[in-house]
Amino acid sequence: MRSILVTGASRGIGLSIARRLAAGGDRVIAVARKRGAELDDAIAAAAATSGEIGFKAFDLSEVGAIPAFVKELRGEFGPIFGLVNNAGIGTEGLLATMHNSQIEALVRLNVLSPIILTKYVARQMMADRAGRIINMSSIIATTGYRGLSVYGATKAAAAGFTRSLAREVGQLGITVNAIAPGFIETELTGNLSEGDRERIAGRSALRRLATPDDVAATVEFLLGEGGTNITGAVQVIDAGNTA
Amino acid sequence: MSIRLKIISEMQQIAREQNITLPPLDDDLPLQSTSLDSLGFAILVARLEDELGRDPFTIADEAAFPLTIGDFVRAYENVPA
Ligand SMILES: NC(=O)c1ccc[n+]([C@@H]2O[C@H](COP(=O)([O-])OP(=O)(O)OC[C@H]3O[C@@H](n4cnc5c(N)ncnc54)[C@H](OP(=O)(O)O)[C@@H]3O)[C@@H](O)[C@H]2O)c1
């Protein structure tokens, strides 16, 4: 059974990814700070499939604790085949009035933490000469949105990290890709008004919003046979919002 | 197996996988002259962490990577597992 580490898997997009992978027969290691009722349900549901979901509580902004955390995972679950760097925060704010501590927290969780986590997980993949890494970017990395300059910077970082790391580890059989979702209804976008939501859907070629499961399906594809020769790519999933 | 022997045999294993020939691995041989590239060293550090349970380059205060084979081996010998 392949082990796939999915960060931020307690709700939203990460939870959809965990559900789908477990249904397909994978062992998912779900990481978040708190477990939550939705994940409880998913863990119970996964027990009836050929896959499974295990939960590990960890605060990914504790960057210094990441090496020991990865070592612990390796000891408990064995080799990790896939890493999905999905955990992230979407703090909004006009740059001029954002608190420096908010800016720092955004960069720490969305940029520093996945890079350090990837460093330690990828080293094990290098020793095993196989692995798949998927980073969560956003269409905000390439389009602008008022109030999301810092968030946009962190998501552009994810895409840049993806392309260069793909070059570094390609010859070892490890692929590195990014997914750039458009607006997906989750808690992260929960404070969007009904009007905003309609406006975004109306601007999309397909006149609707993409869903967490759309993102999960792409993760499944990239981790599977179809993803064998895809690396350094950024897949947009936005129902044609940026088309 | 001593730490030194473990390191040398892993280096030889990686050299075989990458189809390169290593020169004699004397203590004062600069790592740069081993013909292992940076990726080769990254694989080496990852495998040694797996086998020896230690990674001197994560816990060290200074970020300097050793210069010679002897320095590299000592870096591993001098950390508690
Ligand atoms: N929703 C969208 O429209 C959209 C669009 C483009 C990109 N994205 C990206 O997709 C990813 C997931 O977004 P989402 O909408 O699913 O977010 P979400 O619903 O807010 O879920 C975030 C997840 O991350 C975890 N998390 C947050 N802080 C953490 C920390 N310090 N340590 C460990 N886990 C932490 C949360 O669990 P805990 O709080 O329990 O820790 C939760 O499981 C993010 O990277 C986001 O930037 C989302």
Side-chain angles (χ1 to χ4, degrees), chain A residues 71 74 120 123 126 129 171, chain B residues 17 39 46 50 53 55 58:
Chain A
K71 209 173 198 175
R74 171 88 167 184
Y120 289 93
R123 275 161 61 142
M126 288 164 94
R129 289 193 162 255
Q171 68 186 95
Chain B
E17 289 169 13
L39 186 64
D50 239 19
D55 169 13
T58 287

Side-chain angles (χ1 to χ4, degrees), chain B residues 47-60:
Chain B
R47 292 205 184 146
L48 289 174
E49 187 186 9
D50 239 19
E51 289 175 24
L52 303 173
R54 56 180 85 174
D55 169 13
F57 311 111
T58 287
I59 54 181

Side-chain angles (χ1 to χ4, degrees), chain B residues 14-80:
Chain B
I14 292 166
R16 271 195 297 278
E17 289 169 13
Q18 301 197 337
N19 286 322
I20 52 178
T21 314
L22 296 174
L25 298 175
D26 300 325
D27 257 15
D28 47 10
L29 182 75
L31 293 178
Q32 278 192 343
S33 314
T34 56
S35 64
L36 277 188
D37 61 4
S38 57
L39 186 64
F41 276 100
I43 299 171
L44 180 63
V45 171
R47 292 205 184 146
L48 289 174
E49 187 186 9
D50 239 19
E51 289 175 24
L52 303 173
R54 56 180 85 174
D55 169 13
F57 311 111
T58 287
I59 54 181
D61 291 332
E62 78 266 38
F65 203 74
L67 292 177
T68 65
I69 293 279
D71 295 340
F72 188 82
V73 170
R74 274 188 292 280
Y76 277 88
E77 286 172 341
N78 294 339
V79 286

Side-chain angles (χ1 to χ4, degrees), chain A residues 135-221:
Chain A
N135 298 309
M136 214 47 81
S137 181
S138 165
I139 58 167
I140 305 298
T142 45
T143 67
Y145 207 86
R146 183 177 181 277
L148 289 177
S149 64
V150 181
Y151 176 76
T154 69
K155 292 294 151 180
F161 177 57
T162 296
R163 290 193 197 92
S164 286
L165 186 64
R167 290 243 165 229
E168 242 173 76
V169 296
Q171 68 186 95
L172 296 171
I174 303 171
T175 71
V176 190
N177 291 289
I179 295 177
F183 287 89
I184 310 268
E185 282 189 76
T186 67
E187 271 175 47
L188 188 131
T189 48
N191 50 5
L192 226 63
S193 71
E194 188 55 41
D196 279 343
R197 201 168 293 134
E198 268 167 29
R199 209 161 35 76
I200 292 163
R203 262 204 230 131
S204 306
L206 296 172
R207 299 282 186 276
R208 55 180 184 248
L209 300 181
T211 67
D213 198 51
D214 293 334
V215 178
T218 298
V219 168
E220 183 178 45
F221 177 78

